[in-house]
Amino acid sequence: MSASASMTASASMTASASDFAKGLAGIVAGQTAICSLSGTLRYRGYDIEPLALAGDFEEVAWLLLHGELPTAAELAGFRTRVAAAAREVSGPVLAALERLAATTPAASPMDALRTGVSMLGLVEQDNAPGGRAALLAQAERLLGQTPALLAAWLDLTAGRPVAPWPDAPLGAALLERLTGRPPSAAEAAIFGTTLVLYAEHEFNASTFAARTVASTGSDMHSAITAAIGALKGPLHGGANEKVLEVLGTIGTADRARGWVEEQFAAKRVVMGFGHRVYKDGDVRAKLLGELCREFVRGTVGEPLEQLAAEVEAIMLERKQLKPNLDWPAARVYHALGLPVKVFTPIFVVARMSGWTAHVIEQVGDNRLIRPLSLYVGPDPRDYSPPAARG
Ligand code: COA
């Protein structure tokens, strides 16, 4: 070892087993003023319940981005700019998606969103974070462009021309684009509630991915592209799609116990249950659960709720596990007539508000995110050239 290499090695930090927490469980990995989970979930200090019941996604997105609730005039201006962004997705990006839709129409809408956001960064030549005002403007554009990309991808893969973006608040407009008809007031309300509940959740895996990318000095679109990739996984955002698959597989309440026991025997997790942070139940699942039961009974009917209630009872009895937000959200989306493949992309649309707020917070007080690892590989050994290895 050269003198300089040995000096570097001896001066480097090393981790001990006592520092280690698998999956960073329980580790405080940074500070945030955006969201807190102590006691209950709060966005910028506001209890989640009234925000969720009001169900106004743009109001909450503004709150997350700016730290304060908007005035009526601020909210109106914000809504207009976000809707304008939804109508102004770049032509070259849509053209590229059109070609991809023609070649791979069965590709996942999550992949289309990840690729679409990445392409938006390319056409905007987004190569480094700008100042706060520039980042806020980017966040507003992404909030509008992302649902528009999702709706465009569904049109293009179905061989339809891309329909115009409706003149409505973001939640109702997206619902109209996804179902092909304007939603009722009740439908728009519960959909808005899900968007608010999905909007933000401090250092979850996708947000942490976005902050890690931003901490390197990289750009907003790169951070968001990474976040979408992280959200896709079934242990995170992908769980809401899996929940509906689970309910469909079980079929009826009388089959629930047998199915759940099979999962336990095979050491498989049951999607929509458990949470890294909430060990006594997810406050969001409790809130949406009540609305969900009423809404589902009035639309797709009682059997789905009987089945869900039976699975919940068994999970509690057998593992003391309670549902997370994905458990009721998947049933609400199904009752709204939405195809399963858009469930996680809807989560992307909502979480865009939290992600962009976190990127702005990270950039505003940055330090490179670079933890240590606990080495568990071979002891030091000597290199030999290929010819000497036999
Ligand atoms: N089904 C069955 N068992 C579960 C479970 C589930 N959904 N969630 C947790 N468990 C079990 C674990 O396997 C573990 O069992 P063990 O002690 O015998 O190994 C025990 O409960 C404790 O789990 P914990 O360490 O608290 O979980 P975690 O923090 O590592 O994981 C999740 C959290 C979310 C990844 C996990 O609960 C899960 O996979 N849930 C299903 C996917 C899902 O719904 N994701 C969306 C989250 S919002």
Side-chain angles (χ1 to χ4, degrees):
M1 198 184 278
S2 72
S4 68
S6 109
M7 274 177 64
T8 312
S10 62
S12 67
M13 279 191 260
T14 51
S16 69
S18 62
D19 299 326
F20 173 60
K22 195 169 184 185
L24 296 180
I27 301 290
V28 176
Q31 294 179 301
T32 184
I34 299 170
C35 168
S36 62
L37 303 180
S38 53
T40 188
L41 173 61
R42 290 178 192 275
Y43 293 167
R44 300 282 191 185
Y46 291 100
D47 191 316
I48 190 64
E49 185 165 351
L51 296 173
L53 294 179
D56 186 336
F57 176 66
E58 284 98 317
E59 177 184 56
V60 165
W62 174 283
L63 171 67
L64 295 172
L65 287 167
H66 293 268
E68 297 297 334
L69 286 167
T71 64
E74 284 168 340
L75 183 56
F78 184 63
R79 256 195 238 293
T80 303
R81 292 192 299 278
V82 170
R87 297 193 179 96
E88 287 163 10
V89 176
S90 143
V93 171
L94 280 184
L97 282 184
E98 188 170 7
R99 293 188 67 172
L100 291 167
T103 54
T104 45
S108 142
M110 281 300 284
D111 291 346
L113 283 187
R114 192 195 56 227
T115 303
V117 167
S118 178
M119 287 194 292
L120 288 172
L122 182 149
V123 297
E124 280 194 21
Q125 300 186 47
D126 183 16
N127 290 314
R132 184 176 162 78
L135 287 168
L136 281 168
Q138 273 183 331
E140 287 187 357
R141 280 200 300 282
L142 281 165
L143 281 167
Q145 288 167 326
T146 309
L149 280 177
L150 170 61
W153 177 254
L154 295 184
D155 284 342
L156 293 168
T157 50
R160 298 186 294 261
V162 175
W165 188 254
D167 190 13
L170 188 138
L174 176 59
L175 205 44
E176 178 171 344
R177 286 290 278 110
L178 296 179
T179 60
R181 62 173 178 81
S184 68
E187 289 169 331
I190 197 160
F191 189 64
T193 296
T194 69
L195 295 182
V196 169
L197 292 171
Y198 268 138
E200 160 60 7
H201 216 220
E202 52 116 270
F203 278 25
N204 57 87
S206 58
T207 301
F208 195 63
R211 288 191 77 127
T212 301
V213 173
S215 83
T216 70
S218 188
D219 58 279
M220 173 73 91
H221 288 83
S222 295
I224 299 301
T225 302
I228 296 174
L231 192 80
K232 183 181 170 187
L235 297 187
H236 190 10
N240 62 9
E241 297 185 8
K242 298 286 176 200
V243 161
L244 209 77
E245 286 173 20
V246 161
L247 292 167
T249 304
I250 305 175
T252 49
D254 57 309
R255 297 180 49 188
R257 188 168 291 275
W259 184 88
V260 171
E261 291 299 343
E262 264 175 43
Q263 309 313 302
F264 293 159
K267 301 221 173 303
R268 282 193 288 263
V269 291
V270 176
M271 292 296 160
F273 286 84
H275 199 277
R276 172 58 62 80
V277 179
Y278 298 114
K279 294 305 176 197
D280 188 33
D282 179 339
V283 59
R284 304 164 304 169
K286 283 182 214 152
L287 255 171
L288 187 63
E290 287 168 29
L291 302 173
C292 166
R293 280 185 279 283
E294 196 180 322
F295 186 74
V296 171
R297 284 187 181 122
T299 47
V300 290
E302 183 67 25
L304 180 62
E305 288 312 290
Q306 277 173 350
L307 168 56
E310 182 67 10
V311 177
E312 281 181 39
I314 298 166
M315 290 298 288
L316 193 60
E317 173 200 317
R318 291 282 285 105
K319 295 273 177 183
Q320 293 75 53
L321 282 170
K322 293 186 180 173
N324 57 52
L325 174 58
D326 295 313
W327 185 246
R331 280 139 58 212
V332 168
Y333 292 158
H334 173 65
L336 284 166
L338 297 170
V340 175
K341 66 182 177 185
V342 303
F343 290 10
T344 313
I346 292 168
F347 192 163
V348 170
V349 169
R351 189 56 60 87
M352 188 62 69
S353 55
W355 288 336
T356 49
H358 276 274
V359 168
I360 293 170
E361 187 178 63
Q362 182 69 38
V363 170
D365 182 23
N366 191 46
R367 189 161 191 220
L368 177 71
I369 295 175
R370 201 300 186 195
L372 300 172
S373 64
L374 184 66
Y375 179 69
V376 293
D379 287 338
R381 44 189 172 162
D382 292 330
Y383 170 81
S384 57
R389 279 178 235 149

